[in-house]
Coordinates of all heavy atoms in Angstrom, one line a residue:
M14 N -1.6 -22.0 1.7 CA -1.3 -20.6 1.7 C -2.3 -19.9 2.7 O -3.5 -19.9 2.5 CB -1.6 -20.0 0.3 CG -1.5 -18.5 0.3 SD -2.0 -17.7 -1.3 CE -1.3 -18.7 -2.5
P15 N -1.8 -19.4 3.8 CA -2.6 -18.7 4.8 C -3.1 -17.4 4.2 O -2.2 -16.6 3.7 CB -1.7 -18.5 6.0 CG -0.6 -19.5 5.8 CD -0.4 -19.7 4.4
L16 N -4.3 -17.1 4.3 CA -4.9 -15.8 3.9 C -5.5 -15.2 5.2 O -6.4 -15.7 5.8 CB -6.0 -16.0 2.9 CG -5.7 -16.8 1.6 CD1 -6.9 -17.1 0.8 CD2 -4.6 -16.0 0.8
I17 N -4.9 -14.1 5.6 CA -5.3 -13.4 6.8 C -5.9 -12.1 6.5 O -5.2 -11.2 6.0 CB -4.1 -13.3 7.8 CG1 -3.4 -14.6 8.0 CG2 -4.5 -12.6 9.1 CD1 -2.1 -14.5 8.7
Q18 N -7.2 -11.9 6.8 CA -7.9 -10.7 6.5 C -8.2 -10.0 7.9 O -8.8 -10.6 8.8 CB -9.2 -11.0 5.8 CG -10.0 -9.8 5.4 CD -11.2 -10.2 4.5 OE1 -11.5 -11.4 4.3 NE2 -11.9 -9.2 4.0
I19 N -7.9 -8.7 7.9 CA -8.1 -8.0 9.1 C -9.1 -6.8 8.8 O -8.9 -6.1 7.8 CB -6.8 -7.4 9.6 CG1 -5.8 -8.5 9.9 CG2 -7.0 -6.5 10.9 CD1 -4.3 -8.0 10.1
H20 N -10.1 -6.7 9.7 CA -11.1 -5.6 9.5 C -10.8 -4.6 10.6 O -10.7 -4.9 11.8 CB -12.5 -6.1 9.7 CG -12.9 -7.1 8.6 ND1 -13.4 -6.7 7.4 CD2 -12.8 -8.4 8.6 CE1 -13.6 -7.8 6.7 NE2 -13.2 -8.8 7.4
L21 N -10.6 -3.3 10.2 CA -10.3 -2.2 11.2 C -11.1 -1.0 10.8 O -11.3 -0.7 9.7 CB -8.8 -1.8 11.1 CG -7.8 -2.8 11.7 CD1 -6.4 -2.2 11.4 CD2 -8.0 -3.0 13.2
A22 N -11.5 -0.3 11.9 CA -12.0 1.1 11.6 C -10.9 2.0 11.2 O -9.8 1.8 11.7 CB -12.7 1.6 12.9
E23 N -11.2 2.9 10.4 CA -10.1 3.9 9.9 C -9.6 4.6 11.1 O -10.3 4.8 12.2 CB -10.7 4.9 9.0 CG -11.2 4.3 7.6 CD -11.9 5.2 6.7 OE1 -12.4 6.3 7.2 OE2 -12.0 5.0 5.5
G24 N -8.3 5.0 11.0 CA -7.8 5.8 12.1 C -6.4 5.4 12.5 O -5.7 6.1 13.3
R25 N -5.9 4.3 12.0 CA -4.6 3.8 12.3 C -3.6 4.4 11.4 O -3.9 4.7 10.2 CB -4.4 2.3 12.3 CG -4.9 1.5 13.5 CD -6.2 1.9 14.1 NE -6.6 1.0 15.1 CZ -7.8 0.5 15.1 NH1 -8.7 0.7 14.1 NH2 -8.2 -0.2 16.1
T26 N -2.3 4.6 11.8 CA -1.3 5.1 10.9 C -0.8 4.0 10.0 O -1.0 2.8 10.2 CB -0.1 5.6 11.7 OG1 0.5 4.5 12.4 CG2 -0.5 6.7 12.7
E27 N -0.1 4.4 8.9 CA 0.4 3.5 8.0 C 1.4 2.5 8.7 O 1.5 1.3 8.5 CB 1.1 4.2 6.9 CG 1.7 3.3 5.8 CD 2.3 4.1 4.6 OE1 1.7 5.2 4.3 OE2 3.2 3.6 4.0
K28 N 2.2 3.1 9.6 CA 3.2 2.3 10.4 C 2.5 1.3 11.3 O 2.9 0.1 11.3 CB 4.1 3.2 11.3 CG 5.1 2.4 12.1 CD 6.0 3.2 12.9 CE 7.0 2.5 13.7 NZ 6.8 1.1 14.0
Q29 N 1.4 1.7 11.9 CA 0.6 0.7 12.8 C 0.1 -0.4 11.9 O 0.2 -1.6 12.4 CB -0.5 1.4 13.5 CG -0.1 2.4 14.6 CD -1.2 3.2 15.2 OE1 -2.1 3.7 14.4 NE2 -1.3 3.3 16.5
K30 N -0.4 -0.1 10.8 CA -1.0 -1.2 9.9 C 0.1 -2.1 9.4 O 0.0 -3.3 9.4 CB -1.8 -0.5 8.8 CG -3.1 0.1 9.3 CD -3.9 0.7 8.2 CE -3.3 1.9 7.5 NZ -4.2 2.5 6.5
K31 N 1.2 -1.5 9.0 CA 2.4 -2.3 8.5 C 2.9 -3.2 9.7 O 3.1 -4.4 9.5 CB 3.5 -1.4 8.0 CG 4.7 -2.2 7.5 CD 5.8 -1.3 7.0 CE 6.9 -2.1 6.5 NZ 8.0 -1.3 6.0
D32 N 3.0 -2.7 10.9 CA 3.5 -3.5 12.0 C 2.5 -4.6 12.3 O 2.9 -5.7 12.7 CB 3.7 -2.6 13.3 CG 4.9 -1.7 13.1 OD1 5.7 -1.8 12.2 OD2 5.0 -0.7 14.0
L33 N 1.2 -4.3 12.2 CA 0.2 -5.4 12.5 C 0.3 -6.5 11.5 O 0.3 -7.7 11.8 CB -1.2 -4.7 12.5 CG -2.4 -5.7 12.6 CD1 -2.3 -6.5 13.9 CD2 -3.7 -5.0 12.5
M34 N 0.4 -6.1 10.2 CA 0.5 -7.1 9.1 C 1.8 -7.9 9.2 O 1.8 -9.1 9.1 CB 0.4 -6.5 7.8 CG -1.0 -6.0 7.5 SD -1.3 -5.4 5.8 CE -0.4 -3.8 5.8
T35 N 2.9 -7.2 9.6 CA 4.2 -8.0 9.8 C 4.0 -8.9 11.0 O 4.5 -10.1 10.9 CB 5.3 -6.9 10.1 OG1 5.4 -6.1 8.9 CG2 6.6 -7.6 10.3
G36 N 3.4 -8.5 12.1 CA 3.2 -9.3 13.2 C 2.3 -10.5 12.9 O 2.6 -11.7 13.4
M37 N 1.3 -10.4 12.1 CA 0.5 -11.5 11.7 C 1.2 -12.5 10.9 O 1.1 -13.7 11.0 CB -0.8 -11.0 11.0 CG -1.7 -10.1 11.9 SD -2.3 -11.0 13.4 CE -3.3 -12.3 12.7
T38 N 2.0 -11.9 10.0 CA 2.9 -12.8 9.1 C 3.8 -13.6 10.0 O 4.0 -14.8 9.8 CB 3.7 -11.9 8.1 OG1 2.7 -11.2 7.3 CG2 4.6 -12.8 7.2
D39 N 4.5 -12.9 10.9 CA 5.5 -13.6 11.8 C 4.7 -14.7 12.6 O 5.3 -15.8 12.8 CB 6.1 -12.6 12.8 CG 7.0 -11.6 12.1 OD1 7.4 -11.8 11.0 OD2 7.3 -10.6 12.8
L40 N 3.6 -14.4 13.1 CA 2.8 -15.4 13.9 C 2.4 -16.6 13.1 O 2.5 -17.7 13.6 CB 1.6 -14.7 14.5 CG 0.8 -15.5 15.6 CD1 1.7 -15.8 16.8 CD2 -0.4 -14.7 16.0
A41 N 1.9 -16.4 11.9 CA 1.5 -17.5 11.1 C 2.7 -18.4 10.7 O 2.6 -19.6 10.7 CB 0.8 -17.0 9.8
E42 N 3.8 -17.7 10.5 CA 5.0 -18.5 10.2 C 5.4 -19.3 11.4 O 5.7 -20.5 11.2 CB 6.1 -17.5 9.8 CG 7.4 -18.2 9.4 CD 8.5 -17.2 9.0 OE1 8.6 -16.1 9.6 OE2 9.3 -17.5 8.1
K43 N 5.4 -18.7 12.6 CA 5.8 -19.4 13.8 C 4.8 -20.5 14.2 O 5.2 -21.6 14.5 CB 6.0 -18.4 14.9 CG 6.4 -19.0 16.2 CD 6.5 -17.9 17.3 CE 6.8 -18.5 18.6 NZ 6.8 -17.5 19.7
V44 N 3.6 -20.2 14.3 CA 2.6 -21.1 14.9 C 2.2 -22.2 14.0 O 2.1 -23.4 14.5 CB 1.3 -20.3 15.3 CG1 0.2 -21.2 15.8 CG2 1.7 -19.3 16.4
I45 N 2.0 -22.0 12.7 CA 1.5 -23.1 11.8 C 2.6 -23.5 10.9 O 2.4 -24.4 10.1 CB 0.2 -22.7 11.1 CG1 0.4 -21.6 10.1 CG2 -0.9 -22.4 12.0 CD1 -0.8 -21.3 9.2
G46 N 3.8 -22.9 11.0 CA 4.9 -23.3 10.1 C 4.7 -23.0 8.6 O 5.3 -23.7 7.8
A47 N 3.9 -22.0 8.4 CA 3.7 -21.6 7.0 C 5.0 -21.0 6.4 O 5.6 -20.2 7.1 CB 2.5 -20.7 6.8
P48 N 5.3 -21.3 5.2 CA 6.4 -20.6 4.5 C 6.1 -19.1 4.4 O 5.0 -18.8 4.0 CB 6.6 -21.3 3.2 CG 5.8 -22.6 3.3 CD 4.8 -22.4 4.3
R49 N 7.0 -18.3 4.8 CA 6.8 -16.8 4.8 C 6.3 -16.3 3.4 O 5.4 -15.5 3.3 CB 8.0 -16.1 5.2 CG 7.8 -14.7 5.5 CD 9.0 -14.1 6.2 NE 8.7 -12.8 6.8 CZ 8.1 -12.5 7.9 NH1 7.8 -13.5 8.7 NH2 7.9 -11.3 8.3
D50 N 6.8 -16.9 2.3 CA 6.4 -16.4 1.0 C 5.0 -16.8 0.6 O 4.5 -16.4 -0.5 CB 7.5 -16.7 -0.1 CG 7.6 -18.2 -0.3 OD1 7.1 -19.0 0.5 OD2 8.4 -18.6 -1.2
S51 N 4.4 -17.7 1.4 CA 3.0 -18.1 1.1 C 2.0 -17.4 1.9 O 0.8 -17.6 1.6 CB 2.9 -19.6 1.4 OG 2.8 -19.9 2.8
I52 N 2.4 -16.5 2.8 CA 1.4 -15.9 3.7 C 0.9 -14.6 3.1 O 1.7 -13.8 2.6 CB 2.1 -15.6 5.1 CG1 2.6 -16.9 5.7 CG2 1.1 -14.9 6.0 CD1 3.5 -16.7 6.9
R53 N -0.4 -14.4 3.1 CA -1.0 -13.2 2.5 C -1.8 -12.5 3.7 O -2.6 -13.2 4.3 CB -1.9 -13.5 1.4 CG -1.3 -14.3 0.3 CD -0.3 -13.5 -0.5 NE 0.2 -14.2 -1.6 CZ 1.4 -15.0 -1.6 NH1 2.1 -15.1 -0.5 NH2 1.8 -15.6 -2.7
V54 N -1.6 -11.2 3.8 CA -2.3 -10.5 4.9 C -2.8 -9.2 4.3 O -2.0 -8.5 3.5 CB -1.3 -10.1 6.1 CG1 -2.1 -9.4 7.2 CG2 -0.7 -11.4 6.6
W55 N -4.0 -8.8 4.5 CA -4.5 -7.5 4.1 C -5.5 -7.0 5.1 O -6.1 -7.7 5.9 CB -5.2 -7.6 2.7 CG -6.4 -8.5 2.6 CD1 -7.7 -8.0 2.6 CD2 -6.5 -9.9 2.4 NE1 -8.6 -9.1 2.5 CE2 -7.9 -10.2 2.4 CE3 -5.6 -10.9 2.3 CZ2 -8.3 -11.5 2.2 CZ3 -6.0 -12.2 2.2 CH2 -7.3 -12.5 2.1
I56 N -5.7 -5.7 5.0 CA -6.6 -4.9 5.9 C -7.7 -4.3 5.1 O -7.5 -3.7 4.1 CB -5.8 -3.8 6.6 CG1 -4.7 -4.4 7.6 CG2 -6.7 -2.9 7.4 CD1 -3.8 -3.4 8.2
N57 N -8.9 -4.5 5.6 CA -10.1 -3.8 5.1 C -10.5 -2.8 6.1 O -10.8 -3.1 7.3 CB -11.3 -4.8 4.9 CG -11.0 -5.7 3.8 OD1 -10.1 -5.7 3.0 ND2 -11.9 -6.7 3.6
E58 N -10.4 -1.5 5.7 CA -10.8 -0.4 6.6 C -12.2 0.0 6.3 O -12.7 0.0 5.2 CB -9.8 0.8 6.5 CG -8.5 0.5 7.0 CD -7.6 1.7 7.0 OE1 -7.2 2.1 5.9 OE2 -7.3 2.3 8.0
F59 N -12.9 0.5 7.4 CA -14.2 1.0 7.2 C -14.4 2.3 8.1 O -13.7 2.4 9.1 CB -15.3 0.0 7.6 CG -15.1 -0.6 8.9 CD1 -15.6 -0.1 10.1 CD2 -14.3 -1.8 9.1 CE1 -15.4 -0.6 11.3 CE2 -14.1 -2.4 10.3 CZ -14.7 -1.8 11.4
P60 N -15.2 3.2 7.7 CA -15.4 4.4 8.5 C -16.1 4.1 9.8 O -16.8 3.1 10.0 CB -16.4 5.3 7.6 CG -16.8 4.4 6.5 CD -16.1 3.2 6.5
D61 N -15.8 5.0 10.8 CA -16.3 4.7 12.1 C -17.8 4.9 12.2 O -18.4 4.7 13.3 CB -15.5 5.5 13.2 CG -15.6 7.0 13.0 OD1 -16.3 7.5 12.0 OD2 -14.9 7.8 13.7
T62 N -18.4 5.4 11.1 CA -19.9 5.5 11.1 C -20.5 4.2 10.6 O -21.7 4.1 10.6 CB -20.3 6.6 10.2 OG1 -19.7 6.4 8.9 CG2 -19.8 8.0 10.7
D63 N -19.7 3.2 10.2 CA -20.2 2.0 9.7 C -20.0 0.8 10.6 O -20.1 -0.4 10.2 CB -19.5 1.6 8.4 CG -19.9 2.5 7.2 OD1 -20.7 3.4 7.4 OD2 -19.4 2.4 6.1
Y64 N -19.8 1.1 11.9 CA -19.7 0.0 12.9 C -20.4 0.4 14.2 O -20.2 1.5 14.7 CB -18.2 -0.2 13.2 CG -17.9 -1.3 14.2 CD1 -17.9 -2.6 13.9 CD2 -17.7 -0.9 15.6 CE1 -17.7 -3.6 14.9 CE2 -17.5 -1.9 16.5 CZ -17.5 -3.2 16.2 OH -17.3 -4.2 17.1
M65 N -21.1 -0.5 14.7 CA -21.8 -0.3 16.0 C -21.7 -1.5 16.9 O -21.7 -2.6 16.5 CB -23.3 0.0 15.7 CG -24.2 0.2 16.9 SD -25.9 0.5 16.5 CE -25.8 2.3 16.1
A66 N -21.5 -1.2 18.2 CA -21.4 -2.2 19.2 C -22.3 -1.7 20.4 O -22.2 -0.6 20.8 CB -20.0 -2.5 19.6
S67 N -23.1 -2.6 20.9 CA -24.0 -2.3 22.0 C -24.8 -1.1 21.8 O -25.1 -0.3 22.7 CB -23.1 -2.1 23.3 OG -22.4 -3.3 23.6
G68 N -25.2 -0.9 20.5 CA -26.1 0.2 20.2 C -25.4 1.6 20.0 O -26.1 2.6 20.0
E69 N -24.1 1.6 20.0 CA -23.4 2.9 19.9 C -22.5 2.9 18.7 O -21.6 2.0 18.6 CB -22.6 3.1 21.2 CG -21.9 4.4 21.3 CD -21.2 4.7 22.6 OE1 -20.7 3.7 23.2 OE2 -21.0 5.9 23.0
L70 N -22.6 3.9 17.8 CA -21.7 4.0 16.7 C -20.3 4.2 17.2 O -20.1 4.9 18.3 CB -22.0 5.2 15.8 CG -23.2 5.0 14.9 CD1 -23.5 6.3 14.2 CD2 -22.9 3.9 13.9
L71 N -19.3 3.6 16.5 CA -17.9 3.8 16.9 C -17.5 5.3 17.0 O -16.8 5.7 17.9 CB -17.0 3.0 16.0 CG -15.5 3.1 16.3 CD1 -15.2 2.7 17.8 CD2 -14.7 2.3 15.3
K72 N -18.0 6.0 16.0 CA -17.8 7.5 16.0 C -18.2 8.2 17.3 O -17.5 9.0 17.8 CB -18.4 8.1 14.8 CG -18.2 9.6 14.7 CD -18.9 10.2 13.4 CE -18.7 11.7 13.4 NZ -19.3 12.3 12.2
D73 N -19.4 7.8 17.7 CA -20.0 8.4 18.9 C -19.2 7.9 20.2 O -19.0 8.7 21.1 CB -21.5 8.0 19.1 CG -22.3 8.6 17.9 OD1 -21.9 9.6 17.3 OD2 -23.4 8.1 17.7
K74 N -18.8 6.7 20.2 CA -18.0 6.1 21.3 C -16.7 6.8 21.4 O -16.3 7.2 22.5 CB -17.8 4.6 21.1 CG -17.0 4.0 22.3 CD -16.9 2.5 22.1 CE -16.1 2.0 23.3 NZ -16.0 0.5 23.2
R75 N -16.0 7.0 20.3 CA -14.7 7.7 20.3 C -14.9 9.1 20.8 O -14.1 9.6 21.6 CB -14.1 7.7 18.9 CG -13.5 6.4 18.5 CD -13.0 6.4 17.1 NE -12.3 5.2 16.7 CZ -11.8 4.9 15.5 NH1 -12.1 5.7 14.5 NH2 -11.1 3.8 15.3
A76 N -15.9 9.8 20.4 CA -16.2 11.2 20.8 C -16.5 11.2 22.3 O -16.0 12.1 23.1 CB -17.4 11.8 20.1
R77 N -17.3 10.3 22.8 CA -17.6 10.2 24.2 C -16.4 9.9 25.1 O -16.1 10.6 26.1 CB -18.7 9.1 24.4 CG -19.0 8.9 25.9 CD -20.1 7.8 26.1 NE -19.8 6.5 25.5 CZ -19.0 5.6 26.0 NH1 -18.4 5.8 27.1 NH2 -18.8 4.4 25.4
L78 N -15.6 9.0 24.6 CA -14.3 8.7 25.4 C -13.4 9.8 25.4 O -12.7 10.1 26.4 CB -13.7 7.4 24.8 CG -14.4 6.1 25.0 CD1 -13.7 5.0 24.3 CD2 -14.6 5.8 26.4
K79 N -13.3 10.5 24.3 CA -12.4 11.7 24.2 C -12.9 12.8 25.2 O -12.1 13.4 25.9 CB -12.4 12.3 22.8 CG -11.4 13.4 22.6 CD -11.3 13.8 21.2 CE -10.4 15.0 21.0 NZ -10.3 15.4 19.6
K80 N -14.2 13.0 25.2 CA -14.8 14.0 26.1 C -14.6 13.6 27.6 O -14.3 14.4 28.4 CB -16.3 14.1 25.8 CG -17.0 15.2 26.6 CD -18.4 15.4 26.2 CE -19.1 16.5 26.9 NZ -20.5 16.6 26.6
E81 N -14.7 12.3 27.9 CA -14.5 11.8 29.3 C -13.1 12.0 29.7 O -12.9 12.2 30.9 CB -15.0 10.3 29.4 CG -16.4 10.1 29.3 CD -16.9 8.7 29.2 OE1 -16.0 7.8 29.3 OE2 -18.1 8.4 29.1
K82 N -12.1 11.9 28.8 CA -10.7 12.1 29.2 C -10.4 13.5 29.5 O -9.5 13.8 30.3 CB -9.8 11.6 28.0 CG -9.6 10.1 28.0 CD -8.6 9.8 26.9 CE -8.3 8.3 26.9 NZ -7.3 8.0 25.9
S83 N -11.1 14.5 28.9 CA -10.8 15.9 29.2 C -11.5 16.5 30.3 O -12.2 15.9 31.1 CB -11.1 16.7 27.9 OG -12.4 16.6 27.5

């Protein structure tokens, strides 16, 4: 039974998350031949204040990128 856990910062739509989980299910079925009814996929979301890369909070990075676009 494949167990696929996805960690994402909050901010995706319900449709995006459903499409991602469907895609992961399809991929596991295709690549490893897992029976579809045995595949489990779930998403753990966290706030953008709880993730940092290269010393920059995701919240700050998103704000910076938005400012740079305008």
Side-chain angles (χ1 to χ4, degrees):
M14 172 188 317
L16 304 172
I17 303 168
Q18 183 174 5
I19 302 166
H20 298 272
L21 288 175
E23 294 173 340
R25 276 45 173 232
T26 66
E27 186 175 324
K28 181 181 182 332
Q29 288 173 318
K30 292 185 285 186
K31 182 179 178 183
D32 289 348
L33 176 59
M34 290 187 287
T35 299
M37 294 302 295
T38 300
D39 294 344
L40 188 62
E42 182 180 36
K43 177 182 176 183
V44 173
I45 64 173
R49 194 168 190 86
D50 63 352
S51 74
I52 302 167
R53 307 291 184 265
V54 182
W55 66 96
I56 294 174
N57 291 354
E58 289 186 290
F59 52 87
D61 60 4
T62 56
D63 290 359
Y64 179 82
M65 180 179 276
S67 302
E69 184 176 30
L70 283 176
L71 181 56
K72 179 180 180 177
D73 297 337
K74 180 179 181 178
R75 286 176 169 172
R77 177 177 54 79
L78 293 174
K79 185 176 180 179
K80 186 176 180 181
E81 289 174 2
K82 280 187 175 182
S83 56

